[in-house]
Amino acid sequence: FPEGKLQILFFVGLLEFWSEFAGVHYMRGGKPGQFPSFYYRFRTPGDTTQATLFGLPVPELWDPLGLIKNMDGPTRTYKLAKEVNNGRLAMLGLFGYFVESKVPGSVPALTALNIVQPYSGEYMLAFSWFDYFDFFLERSQFNAPSTVIKPF
């Protein structure tokens, strides 16, 4: 198991644990997308200094710059719709690159720019444990033809 994948899995697991432990789940009345605050968990009541954990400042994951708390409802709804549509457009663009790399000539704009190189690998390999083993098993010596010399 690659160490980088394990680090990402561990960090996301910690965030999942914190969101379930420290806040109100969105299925029980919490706000979808809002992450529980680290700030109030690691300081004493009445303390106005920056919260720290092991000597490091603790960031807020929900509205770290404080831009949303003073926004009126219609503006917030409009900006949320813009953010969601921007994310959808980014996903379409990314999939355009994926398709062009697998099927050259399928996205005419990217073909004309000639910036996408063909890719023969598997994009979803990182998300499948069994495919990961199959990938390396196919390229290992286990499936190689036998080198034993057979008698006539």
Side-chain angles (χ1 to χ4, degrees):
F1 205 67
E3 291 81 13
K5 191 188 292 188
L6 188 60
Q7 289 175 355
I8 293 170
L9 187 66
F10 180 72
F11 180 71
V12 170
L14 284 177
L15 290 178
E16 273 296 314
F17 177 76
W18 182 259
S19 69
E20 294 292 328
F21 171 72
V24 178
H25 195 272
Y26 71 92
M27 295 294 286
R28 295 187 185 105
K31 188 183 268 187
Q34 185 171 7
F35 197 79
S37 175
F38 292 121
Y39 188 69
Y40 296 107
R41 296 284 180 174
F42 298 111
R43 58 187 274 254
T44 57
D47 186 11
T48 58
T49 59
Q50 171 68 37
T52 60
L53 177 63
F54 303 116
L56 300 171
V58 179
E60 286 295 329
L61 298 180
W62 171 257
D63 193 21
L65 301 177
L67 301 174
I68 296 175
K69 63 182 173 186
N70 297 327
M71 201 178 295
D72 61 337
T75 305
R76 184 182 299 176
T77 303
Y78 173 73
K79 290 191 177 210
L80 177 63
K82 281 176 55 175
E83 182 179 355
V84 168
N85 287 334
N86 187 25
R88 289 174 179 158
L89 185 61
M91 285 188 285
L92 283 173
L94 183 65
F95 285 123
Y97 276 94
F98 287 165
V99 169
E100 178 64 28
S101 70
K102 285 292 193 180
V103 184
S106 60
V107 182
L110 293 175
T111 304
L113 294 173
N114 197 23
I115 57 175
V116 180
Q117 303 298 320
Y119 179 66
S120 62
E122 294 295 326
Y123 286 122
M124 300 305 289
L125 182 65
F127 301 106
S128 174
W129 177 258
F130 296 110
D131 289 342
Y132 185 76
F133 278 122
D134 288 343
F135 178 78
F136 286 107
L137 188 63
E138 287 173 359
R139 287 154 181 79
S140 69
Q141 296 300 318
F142 293 114
N143 289 344
S146 177
T147 56
V148 176
I149 300 174
K150 295 181 181 179
F152 295 102

